[in-house]
Amino acid sequence: MAKKYVAGATSDIAEGGSKLVTLAGRDIGIYNVAGSFYAFADRCPHAGGSLCEGFITGIAVSGGPNDYRLERKGEFLRCPWHGWEFDIRTGQSWCDPNSMRARKFSVKVEAGADLAKGPYVAETFEVKVEGEYLVIEL
Amino acid sequence: MKLPFKGAIDCDVHLAMPPVKTLLPFMSDYWQDQIVTRFIDRSSFALMSYPTHSPLSGRPDWRAQSGGAMPGATLEQLRSQLLDPFGHELAICHALHGSIALYNEDMGAEFCSAVNRWVAQEWLDHEPRLRASILVHAQNPTLAVAEIERCAGDSRFVAVLLPVMGDSPLGRRIYWPIFEAAQKHGLSICVHAGSTFRNPPTGTGWTSYQSEDYIGQSVAFQNLIISLLAEGVFQKYPDLTFVCLESGFTWMPTLLWRSAKAWRGVRAEVPWIDRSPAGIVRERIKLSLRPFDAPEDPAIINRIFEQINCEDMLVFSTDYPHWQFEGDNALPDGVPRELIRKILVDNPLASFPRLQTNSHVRAHVTQEAAS
Ligand code: FES
């Protein structure tokens, strides 16, 4: 049966930032995009690079030569190994959205007071009643 | 194998370069004077990439019929050696004149213009099966555009001819006025093997032997495609088709693979490439059949064709009078049967918009091919 893992406090990850956690032996990257949280297995679907070590950036688009625009700033991950780009909201690769995507986990934000009713797993820290936490079910 | 039906469209036919004195009447008084009094008329203006006496430059039996001279020098030869026996509907001829390598761009442009006038008057006017490319001196794109504009009214010119190795990679913006003019007039861009030797013919430096230059042409074509892709020429000129002549094509699978792979990692540098380069290249690049750079074995050929997915990419060429095949076996053995009609007729028509707009030609070709 799936268990609730507490991956950290929401305050751990600033907007535009990320955090690498290990839950039940799995490396998972959690990202804060404009106040929403997303989580992916920290293995690039291409060849296994750590996505969490890559840049969080936008997507370069263009209407033709000499037209350069960076759009959706903060919504894309660039893998540090070979530069593939992934949409943080969906995990899809920009170049091959239909068949290449990062493994996604859903992240819920739960209040410490609710979590306290249990059961949950918090491997590395203590859950406080007044805090807000990132919860992933595995 | 022999052509299975009449009515093919041959996309690469060479006219032997005339002596300079033949071109003089097509030049202004000033240039006639300059060229004669400076003894420039003694130069053969043969491009170093195609030495006249190299066996490859003229098939031996055709050469013998011309008494040892370069075949393709007279309309009579062109008819009796190519157009009649092979039953061509159309042949697109190219005059690769050495003047494209002149550093003096005014003289170069004058020569190109003289060659184009000579082609129109001495060849096109006399043989309705002929079409031609416009020779331009690309070192000065403004002059090149002026020549394209001058010739564009003549619908028998169906393309602009450029060498694959010139001053700079052909995708660069300096050449865009040429592409702009070509697209405006429905002309395709024919890029032919050969170099003006502004740069070493390899990326690693100067070669010792002609065989190195000849074999290395296919690398230059890969550079061309990479340049057109990276510079965004395909996006900028969506209606322009590039036809690679004497390019070979069995190198295409690895190029497509490498471009698609690199694109995933570094596409942000060239964000106008908005889909996999393999698809773009397949749509916009055409490759000529001869010289055929693979063993003529059906199993091997089928595999390469499958890898390139080149149904629409290959266009028929004999490369006359170059020595690329024997007898009347213009088609390599093992070319898939179902592709023959496409290669001989449909793809050439699709590659040169000016052939399509001539509905008379289209109807005639269809009839011939069906019969
Ligand atoms: S491992 Fe991520 S792009 Fe190759």
Side-chain angles (χ1 to χ4, degrees):
Chain A
M1 215 184 83
K3 277 188 197 165
K4 268 188 184 178
Y5 287 83
V6 181
T10 51
S11 57
D12 293 352
I13 312 176
E15 274 192 29
S18 69
K19 181 184 177 184
L20 180 62
V21 297
T22 305
L23 304 177
R26 300 188 213 193
D27 291 335
I28 296 176
I30 306 176
Y31 303 84
N32 177 345
V33 179
S36 302
F37 293 89
Y38 303 89
F40 298 99
D42 198 41
R43 283 180 52 80
C44 174
H46 174 222
S50 163
L51 294 174
C52 242
E53 285 175 21
F55 287 108
I56 295 170
T57 179
I59 192 79
V61 295
S62 161
N66 196 26
D67 173 30
Y68 305 87
R69 276 171 283 132
L70 192 74
E71 287 185 352
R72 299 179 57 194
K73 237 171 132 182
E75 295 183 27
F76 282 83
L77 267 179
R78 204 171 287 168
C79 176
W81 280 11
H82 314 99
W84 291 22
E85 299 155 295
F86 296 91
D87 185 333
I88 303 180
R89 293 187 193 277
T90 62
Q92 286 173 306
S93 141
W94 176 255
C95 289
D96 193 0
N98 296 327
S99 49
M100 190 59 74
R101 58 175 73 211
R103 165 110 204 265
K104 195 175 177 197
F105 298 97
S106 66
V107 193
K108 285 197 194 105
V109 175
E110 288 193 28
D114 295 333
L115 268 177
K117 295 171 198 152
Y120 65 86
V121 185
E123 284 169 346
T124 52
F125 59 94
E126 197 188 333
V127 171
K128 299 207 177 94
V129 189
E130 63 275 18
E132 271 204 321
Y133 294 89
L134 300 165
V135 176
I136 294 177
E137 282 195 16
L138 292 174
Chain B
M1 93 182 84
K2 293 182 179 126
L3 299 181
F5 52 79
K6 288 181 188 245
I9 300 177
D10 190 340
C11 299
D12 189 22
V13 170
H14 295 271
L15 304 178
M17 281 308 93
V20 173
K21 70 172 187 323
T22 306
L23 295 174
L24 286 177
F26 298 96
M27 292 185 178
S28 72
D29 291 344
Y30 170 80
W31 283 112
Q32 291 190 32
D33 170 75
Q34 283 289 297
I35 283 161
V36 172
T37 58
R38 289 163 62 187
F39 304 107
I40 295 169
D41 53 346
R42 294 185 186 179
S43 164
S44 74
F45 281 91
L47 260 192
M48 279 308 292
S49 303
Y50 294 91
T52 315
H53 298 291
S54 154
L56 272 172
S57 301
R59 210 172 93 172
D61 53 335
W62 291 333
R63 211 191 272 267
Q65 287 163 11
S66 327
M70 260 305 264
T74 67
L75 195 49
E76 207 26 65
Q77 286 164 1
L78 194 64
R79 283 182 182 137
S80 65
Q81 294 177 335
L82 185 74
L83 300 178
D84 296 342
F86 291 92
H88 281 10
E89 172 68 23
L90 292 172
I92 303 172
C93 55
H94 308 283
L96 264 180
H97 193 262
S99 56
I100 56 171
L102 284 169
Y103 278 92
N104 180 334
E105 53 203 35
D106 292 329
M107 190 194 290
E110 183 75 7
F111 260 106
C112 288
S113 185
V115 168
N116 294 329
R117 290 171 205 266
W118 169 77
V119 167
Q121 193 171 312
E122 301 299 325
W123 298 85
L124 302 180
D125 282 356
H126 301 281
E127 177 47 71
R129 286 171 289 185
L130 288 183
R131 298 291 181 274
S133 58
I134 302 169
L135 185 73
V136 296
H137 195 260
Q139 179 183 305
N140 184 324
T142 308
L143 295 177
V145 167
E147 182 60 12
I148 294 170
E149 293 292 342
R150 191 189 68 75
C151 297
D154 183 341
S155 63
R156 300 169 303 179
F157 285 108
V158 298
V160 174
L161 182 64
L162 295 168
V164 70
M165 289 179 270
D167 297 70
S168 288
L170 269 179
R172 280 199 175 275
R173 293 179 198 175
I174 185 174
Y175 297 118
W176 288 8
I178 296 176
F179 302 150
E180 183 86 48
Q183 178 174 273
K184 182 175 90 185
H185 292 293
L187 295 156
S188 302
I189 302 289
C190 283
V191 184
H192 199 284
S195 177
T196 55
F197 295 98
R198 296 290 197 269
N199 302 294
T202 79
T204 48
W206 289 99
T207 50
S208 304
Y209 303 101
Q210 207 247 335
S211 53
E212 292 177 82
D213 295 7
Y214 189 76
I215 295 163
Q217 297 288 342
S218 59
V219 182
F221 278 100
Q222 298 189 46
N223 294 338
L224 164 81
I225 292 172
I226 295 165
S227 169
L228 294 174
L229 270 172
E231 299 280 356
V233 172
F234 297 124
Q235 283 74 16
K236 184 80 184 172
Y237 302 102
D239 300 325
L240 197 57
T241 299
F242 289 80
V243 186
C244 298
L245 301 175
E246 268 180 60
S247 50
F249 60 89
T250 56
W251 41 266
M252 191 51 102
T254 48
L255 178 73
L256 292 180
W257 171 253
R258 285 170 65 84
S259 329
K261 186 173 154 115
W263 173 68
R264 288 167 182 248
V266 296
R267 54 132 231 115
E269 185 197 17
V270 284
W272 37 87
I273 305 185
D274 53 4
R275 61 197 170 104
S276 178
I280 301 175
V281 171
R282 281 194 187 103
E283 281 175 22
R284 305 294 300 281
I285 294 281
K286 307 289 174 182
L287 303 157
S288 54
L289 191 67
R290 295 278 189 192
F292 196 75
D293 55 354
E296 296 192 14
D297 170 335
I300 296 175
I301 291 178
N302 270 308
R303 247 183 98 193
I304 297 168
F305 276 37
E306 213 174 287
Q307 286 171 342
I308 311 178
N309 199 351
C310 58
E311 278 214 355
D312 302 321
M313 290 179 85
L314 285 181
V315 297
F316 176 55
S317 64
T318 55
D319 196 19
Y320 173 89
H322 298 170
W323 187 10
Q324 308 295 6
F325 61 92
E326 306 293 348
D328 46 10
N329 293 314
L331 277 178
D333 281 340
V335 169
R337 283 246 148 230
E338 62 280 11
L339 287 192
I340 291 178
R341 201 204 129 85
K342 285 197 134 199
I343 293 172
L344 293 182
V345 181
D346 300 343
N347 294 349
L349 281 176
S351 307
F352 297 94
R354 285 196 161 197
L355 299 184
Q356 300 162 26
T357 48
N358 193 332
S359 55
H360 147 79
V361 167
R362 169 137 231 166
H364 193 176
V365 166
T366 312
Q367 232 174 18
E368 284 267 357
S371 62

